[in-house]
Amino acid sequence: MRGYDDDKQELLARLRRAEGQVRGIARMIDEDVYCIDVLTQVSAATKALESVALALLEDHLMHCVAAATAEGGQVAQDKLREANAAIARLVRS
Amino acid sequence: MRGYDDDKQELLARLRRAEGQVRGIARMIDEDVYCIDVLTQVSAATKALESVALALLEDHLMHCVAAATAEGGQVAQDKLREANAAIARLVRS
Amino acid sequence: MRGYDDDKQELLARLRRAEGQVRGIARMIDEDVYCIDVLTQVSAATKALESVALALLEDHLMHCVAAATAEGGQVAQDKLREANAAIARLVRS
Amino acid sequence: MRGYDDDKQELLARLRRAEGQVRGIARMIDEDVYCIDVLTQVSAATKALESVALALLEDHLMHCVAAATAEGGQVAQDKLREANAAIARLVRS
């Protein structure tokens, strides 16, 4: 069981759509679609993945991190540090 | 023919890899992989798409926009404006 | 007292440097420095502010959110929701 | 004379506001304002700098790069490469 357990079907549906978007971008390039129109689709796929990341992070904080801090101690500190590193990676990517 | 014509095979290969990454993320969620490890993969896929966007934009500036500005006039202005809007979307996404 | 209390002097020092960077950009423009060199400075200042944001967020999670989730209940839920919204704003900005 | 010559006063005004925002963030921290409210201000200042960067880049493409590509040759190639590198830095920051 994971933090995203309740949202699993929703996350999988979003990822299937993102996969379809990426495949659609390849098709556009294969068919010589105008650069700017391809770029618009790349932005859309990037935003879709960003939303998946934010949903995963939210679930992680609401469940895994909240459970660890409720217990306290070293485990809580480690979970918080790990979450902060993941947030920094996301903000900088 | 498009600005990305010379890079077409390279772009298609990158998109196939990105598509595989997105499918891999879905598999991880399906198998209840730890949230933070899934997030790392989402960041990798996002970066892959960002690189595709930058390559497309570079090709567009080097070919379509350069050709238009070499001619000058209203077409050049329009192409530059369109490119600027695409850059702004990319920076803000 | 706030989550960032222990880092207050460090944060203030960073913000003074960022303020100096922004003033430096204005001076560059005033002195007609080459566009690309000005842009490099704008990126540096943006990264400095991003680091301040990540430090503030880390302090907030380590103290305010951790304290709330240790207590549990509605307050914990509210703090987590608020933190998630702040993270989303940061990732999307 | 630079690409941003026509927008100089506008850019300087925006930078003065951004400088004021950064100083305001320091004041908030000094007065122990709630973390999340400080973060909102940091996001606003970051967005202000991002807008300055996009305006500078637009001016650069509309003037310096357009002039170089109208001439063509190695100078045009160099300007385009330099602009692409600046765009990549901006997108990744």
Side-chain angles (χ1 to χ4, degrees):
Chain A
M1 230 208 85
R2 293 298 174 193
Y4 52 77
D5 214 53
D6 290 345
D7 294 329
K8 204 165 170 169
Q9 295 315 315
E10 163 71 12
L11 285 168
L12 288 173
R14 283 209 222 179
L15 284 163
R16 263 193 306 274
R17 275 198 299 275
E19 194 194 322
Q21 283 176 306
V22 176
R23 205 161 33 229
I25 298 164
R27 207 178 312 118
M28 289 171 99
I29 287 181
D30 202 47
E31 295 170 355
D32 301 315
V33 169
Y34 181 50
C35 322
I36 296 291
D37 296 329
V38 183
L39 269 173
T40 303
Q41 270 310 98
V42 181
S43 286
T46 307
K47 277 204 178 130
L49 284 183
E50 203 174 78
S51 297
V52 168
L54 287 171
L56 278 168
L57 190 63
E58 180 168 338
D59 286 336
H60 183 62
L61 289 176
M62 300 295 263
H63 299 103
C64 315
V65 175
T69 52
E71 283 205 30
Q74 191 55 45
V75 173
Q77 292 300 305
D78 292 348
K79 282 281 170 216
L80 282 163
R81 246 175 258 290
E82 187 187 53
N84 281 318
I87 293 166
R89 269 200 304 278
L90 213 63
V91 169
R92 290 185 169 128
S93 79
Chain B
M1 229 207 85
R2 291 300 173 194
Y4 51 76
D5 214 54
D6 290 345
D7 293 331
K8 204 165 170 170
Q9 295 315 315
E10 162 71 13
L11 286 168
L12 289 173
R14 284 209 222 178
L15 285 164
R16 265 193 304 273
R17 276 198 299 276
E19 194 194 322
Q21 283 176 306
V22 176
R23 205 160 34 230
I25 298 163
R27 208 178 311 118
M28 289 171 99
I29 286 180
D30 202 47
E31 296 171 356
D32 301 314
V33 170
Y34 181 49
C35 321
I36 296 290
D37 297 328
V38 184
L39 268 174
T40 304
Q41 270 310 98
V42 181
S43 285
T46 308
K47 277 204 176 130
L49 284 183
E50 201 174 78
S51 297
V52 168
L54 287 171
L56 279 169
L57 191 62
E58 179 168 338
D59 285 337
H60 183 63
L61 288 175
M62 299 295 263
H63 297 102
C64 315
V65 175
T69 52
E71 283 206 30
Q74 191 55 44
V75 173
Q77 292 300 306
D78 291 348
K79 282 281 169 214
L80 283 163
R81 246 175 258 289
E82 187 188 52
N84 281 318
I87 293 166
R89 270 200 303 277
L90 213 61
V91 169
R92 290 188 170 125
S93 80
Chain C
M1 227 207 88
R2 292 299 173 193
Y4 52 77
D5 213 54
D6 290 345
D7 293 330
K8 205 165 169 169
Q9 295 315 315
E10 162 71 13
L11 285 168
L12 289 173
R14 283 208 222 180
L15 284 164
R16 265 194 303 273
R17 275 198 299 276
E19 194 195 322
Q21 283 176 306
V22 176
R23 206 162 32 230
I25 298 163
R27 206 178 313 117
M28 289 172 98
I29 286 180
D30 202 47
E31 295 171 356
D32 301 316
V33 169
Y34 182 50
C35 321
I36 297 290
D37 297 328
V38 183
L39 268 173
T40 304
Q41 271 310 99
V42 181
S43 286
T46 308
K47 277 202 177 131
L49 284 183
E50 201 174 80
S51 297
V52 169
L54 287 170
L56 279 168
L57 191 62
E58 180 168 338
D59 285 337
H60 183 62
L61 289 174
M62 299 295 264
H63 298 103
C64 315
V65 175
T69 51
E71 283 205 30
Q74 192 55 43
V75 173
Q77 293 299 307
D78 291 349
K79 282 281 169 214
L80 283 163
R81 246 174 258 288
E82 187 187 53
N84 281 318
I87 293 167
R89 270 200 303 278
L90 213 61
V91 169
R92 290 188 170 126
S93 80
Chain D
M1 230 206 86
R2 292 298 174 194
Y4 52 76
D5 214 54
D6 291 345
D7 293 331
K8 205 165 168 169
Q9 294 316 315
E10 163 71 12
L11 285 168
L12 289 173
R14 283 209 221 179
L15 285 164
R16 265 193 304 272
R17 277 197 299 275
E19 195 194 322
Q21 283 176 305
V22 177
R23 206 162 31 231
I25 298 163
R27 208 178 313 118
M28 290 171 98
I29 286 181
D30 202 47
E31 294 170 357
D32 301 315
V33 169
Y34 182 49
C35 320
I36 296 290
D37 297 328
V38 184
L39 268 173
T40 304
Q41 270 310 99
V42 181
S43 286
T46 307
K47 277 205 178 128
L49 284 182
E50 203 175 78
S51 296
V52 168
L54 287 171
L56 278 169
L57 190 62
E58 179 168 338
D59 286 337
H60 183 62
L61 289 175
M62 298 296 263
H63 298 103
C64 315
V65 175
T69 51
E71 283 205 31
Q74 192 55 46
V75 173
Q77 292 299 305
D78 291 348
K79 282 281 168 214
L80 283 163
R81 247 175 257 290
E82 188 187 52
N84 281 318
I87 292 166
R89 271 199 303 277
L90 213 63
V91 168
R92 289 185 171 129
S93 81

